[in-house]
Amino acid sequence: MGAAALGVCATLPALSASAATGTSDAAKLDQAVKALRAISTLKADFVQRDRNGSEVTGELTLKRPGKIRFQYAKNVPMLIVGDGKALTMIDYEVNQVQRWPIKNSPLGALLDPNRDVARYGTVRETGNPNVISIEVRDTSHPEYGIITLIFTRKASAPGGLELSYWVALDAQNTRTTIQLSNQRYGVAVADSAFTWKDPRRSVRRH
């Protein structure tokens, strides 16, 4: 579970090289970048799947720039929080806390202002004019992993595109899919939503 959760950090059919023209690809990439930048806050339900088909559910909270929270269902004693600088994975079952710089995770494409999707993104053909697939990888830093962002055209979403799901492949070759639903944009999100309770403190007290 821990490695899969970090991969947030499922299987998607292989994406062929885009057959569209360069101009068309550039337009799609520009649309996707504008849609991402237009998100101020986002809440959504999610289903997380690993390459073995295991899945867990929860609620995603996103606040740009840099903040994210994966609140898993009550039967999953785990939490992932990004505070703008690092991703923290808290496993309450074993009272363990792990932290990684956001820039070292595939999620840096969503959260790290320095990871420019316009610069590192490549359009991949989907065969559906209403679906845009953007693969983001920094070839000079393969340890950052790869994330493929899938957008669906939706007039009411910021920029006219809704982030439907993503597939993350981290440096350990862990592949994880996050599928979103019930997206709500522009909702009030306090910074306190990105705090967490450290389970190691209660262990030390005992």
Side-chain angles (χ1 to χ4, degrees):
M1 174 66 71
L6 181 60
V8 164
C9 25
T11 302
L12 181 72
L15 298 171
S16 61
S18 176
T21 65
T23 301
S24 178
D25 281 0
K28 290 177 181 177
L29 182 58
D30 183 61
Q31 290 170 9
V33 170
K34 287 181 177 177
L36 283 176
R37 291 177 178 172
I39 298 174
S40 57
T41 61
L42 165 67
K43 282 194 172 187
D45 300 326
F46 73 83
V47 178
Q48 174 183 311
R49 298 183 178 90
D50 63 22
R51 68 167 72 236
N52 297 319
S54 299
E55 67 177 47
V56 291
T57 62
E59 184 181 60
L60 167 76
T61 302
L62 174 70
K63 185 175 185 179
R64 294 176 61 87
K67 295 182 174 64
I68 198 166
R69 181 184 182 99
F70 292 89
Q71 182 68 58
Y72 291 90
K74 291 182 178 180
N75 63 327
V76 181
M78 186 177 297
L79 174 68
I80 295 178
V81 178
D83 62 4
K85 296 181 180 179
L87 283 173
T88 302
M89 184 177 70
I90 307 100
D91 188 332
Y92 290 105
E93 186 171 28
V94 295
N95 298 319
Q96 184 179 41
V97 176
Q98 295 176 277
R99 287 173 65 84
W100 292 265
I102 283 176
K103 68 178 183 179
N104 292 354
S105 161
L107 276 180
L110 282 174
L111 303 175
D112 183 0
N114 296 321
R115 186 84 65 86
D116 189 351
V117 173
R119 178 180 177 186
Y120 298 113
T122 302
V123 175
R124 298 301 184 190
E125 182 58 43
T126 66
N128 186 335
N130 292 319
V131 178
I132 296 177
S133 173
I134 308 294
E135 180 187 276
V136 185
R137 70 166 78 196
D138 183 347
T139 55
S140 62
H141 290 281
E143 70 274 15
Y144 292 174
I146 304 167
I147 190 168
T148 302
L149 306 169
I150 310 297
F151 299 87
T152 304
R153 296 192 186 279
K154 185 175 181 179
S156 60
L161 291 177
E162 184 158 81
L163 181 60
S164 300
Y165 65 98
W166 67 77
V167 181
L169 186 68
D170 68 14
Q172 287 72 47
N173 203 36
T174 300
R175 182 165 57 192
T176 306
T177 297
I178 298 290
Q179 182 175 354
L180 304 180
S181 63
N182 191 28
Q183 291 92 327
R184 290 94 70 198
Y185 301 97
V187 294
V189 177
D191 286 341
S192 59
F194 307 98
T195 59
W196 47 276
K197 181 181 178 181
D198 192 336
R200 298 169 298 182
R201 295 176 182 173
S202 59
V203 171
R204 285 195 292 266
R205 283 199 298 268
H206 288 90

